[in-house]
Amino acid sequence: MNTLFRRTKASIIFLGVAMTLLGLAFFINPVDSILFVVYCCAWAFLFAGIGTLVGYFRHDPADRGAANIVLAILEIVCAVYIFFFPGWSTVALCIFLGCVIFVTGIWDVADALSFRKVEGSNWGLWLVLGIITIVLGFLTLFAPFMMAEAIMIVAGISLVFDGITEIVLGVRM
């Protein structure tokens, strides 16, 4: 049990250091970081497509569905598109992130309103942060070119904060 605990503690500290370094890279050089994330998405699509294709041919012919082959081709086409058009892919990624941020803000506002009746819950702060999140999501949706760099800076700050939190948690274990 002691060995497992030490490995877990080391893993948490390692994760924290990795998150902090990635966050610093995002914060220091947001433009190149955007392309890094876009190309990571392309590689993920490519490997997913290859994996889906291999899985399709490894199954018994009676169990093969046409949807799997279509999915594999779609994933590979998305990867190729991202590799050839990283600029447009960056815009698509920013619009997707804008949707996620916008929906997260709506959930945060709903959570804040549900915490309104709980004594000492700081629901007002959560409400303000939720509204700010909604505004940022809206801006990201409708101005993806301007917000792409800002997203990476905010992501960098968030990763640094989360990384430091993980390091402190791991050290305190």
Side-chain angles (χ1 to χ4, degrees):
M1 184 69 173
N2 197 12
T3 305
L4 177 64
F5 179 75
R6 275 188 267 142
R7 274 195 246 150
T8 302
K9 181 177 178 174
S11 296
I12 290 173
I13 293 171
F14 178 75
L15 176 66
V17 170
M19 289 171 66
T20 303
L21 292 175
L22 185 64
L24 286 173
F26 282 10
F27 183 75
I28 292 170
N29 195 352
V31 175
D32 288 338
S33 298
I34 293 167
L35 288 175
F36 172 75
V37 170
V38 167
Y39 284 124
C40 284
C41 289
W43 283 107
F45 273 122
L46 183 63
F47 288 133
I50 292 169
T52 304
L53 200 59
V54 168
Y56 174 81
F57 288 111
R58 290 192 68 195
H59 282 92
D60 184 29
D63 294 334
R64 293 181 188 164
N68 287 340
I69 196 77
V70 170
L71 179 62
I73 292 170
L74 183 64
E75 289 167 338
I76 292 171
V77 167
C78 284
V80 170
Y81 179 83
I82 292 170
F83 282 128
F84 283 111
F85 302 105
W88 287 109
S89 301
T90 302
V91 173
L93 180 64
C94 287
I95 291 171
F96 173 74
L97 288 174
C99 291
V100 170
I101 293 168
F102 186 78
V103 170
T104 300
I106 291 172
W107 285 338
D108 289 346
V109 168
D111 287 344
L113 294 175
S114 68
F115 287 139
R116 183 174 47 188
K117 297 176 184 172
V118 176
E119 188 72 30
S121 65
N122 293 331
W123 71 273
L125 176 64
W126 285 105
L127 181 65
V128 170
L129 291 174
I131 292 170
I132 291 171
T133 304
I134 289 172
V135 170
L136 288 174
F138 183 78
L139 288 173
T140 304
L141 278 171
F142 293 102
F145 286 114
M146 294 182 347
M147 293 301 291
E149 191 171 340
I151 288 171
M152 295 313 290
I153 291 171
V154 170
I157 292 169
S158 178
L159 281 169
V160 168
F161 177 76
D162 288 344
I164 292 170
T165 304
E166 291 291 320
I167 292 169
V168 169
L169 175 69
V171 169
R172 286 188 176 178
M173 286 180 80

